[in-house]
Amino acid sequence: MVCRATLDNGMLPASGSEIALGTLAEFCNSPNGYRVYVNSSPELAGATLVVDGKAVTLAGHGPTLVSSSSHPAAVSRNVTLRLPRAQANGTLSFHATPL
């Protein structure tokens, strides 16, 4: 079984407090589906991750659910980060887990 979630490194220039991060590539061949989570550093608590138009508020501690599927899939999603402040540093890491 293979499950992965990777964000391309094509970060685009910020427009105010919004940063286009690029494309999230999801792949999982689990017959029961999968979930994709993001871990964010505490500096990004309260920021909003927008994945294909769906807003997800980052917790800043522990993983935050980004997407899920009830079947195997290979999907690409557009990802944008909305910061509560115009300037913020922090890290994001994505991972997929099978169901």
Side-chain angles (χ1 to χ4, degrees):
M1 187 174 328
V2 176
C3 289
R4 64 178 173 258
T6 56
L7 185 67
D8 71 10
N9 293 334
M11 189 170 89
L12 303 173
S15 172
S17 61
E18 194 162 304
I19 303 167
L21 298 178
T23 303
L24 175 65
E26 302 175 6
F27 174 83
C28 189
N29 61 3
S30 168
N32 297 321
Y34 65 96
R35 290 185 180 136
V36 174
Y37 295 92
V38 62
N39 286 310
S40 57
S41 60
E43 300 86 2
L44 294 176
T48 303
L49 196 65
V50 181
V51 181
D52 275 354
K54 177 185 168 196
V56 178
T57 301
L58 299 175
H61 66 280
T64 302
L65 181 65
V66 172
S67 67
S68 63
S69 176
S70 61
H71 52 79
V75 180
S76 294
R77 303 181 190 277
N78 293 319
V79 180
T80 302
L81 180 64
R82 291 183 187 153
L83 301 170
R85 300 167 298 286
Q87 298 269 335
N89 292 321
T91 59
L92 298 171
S93 63
F94 293 86
H95 65 278
T97 57
L99 297 178

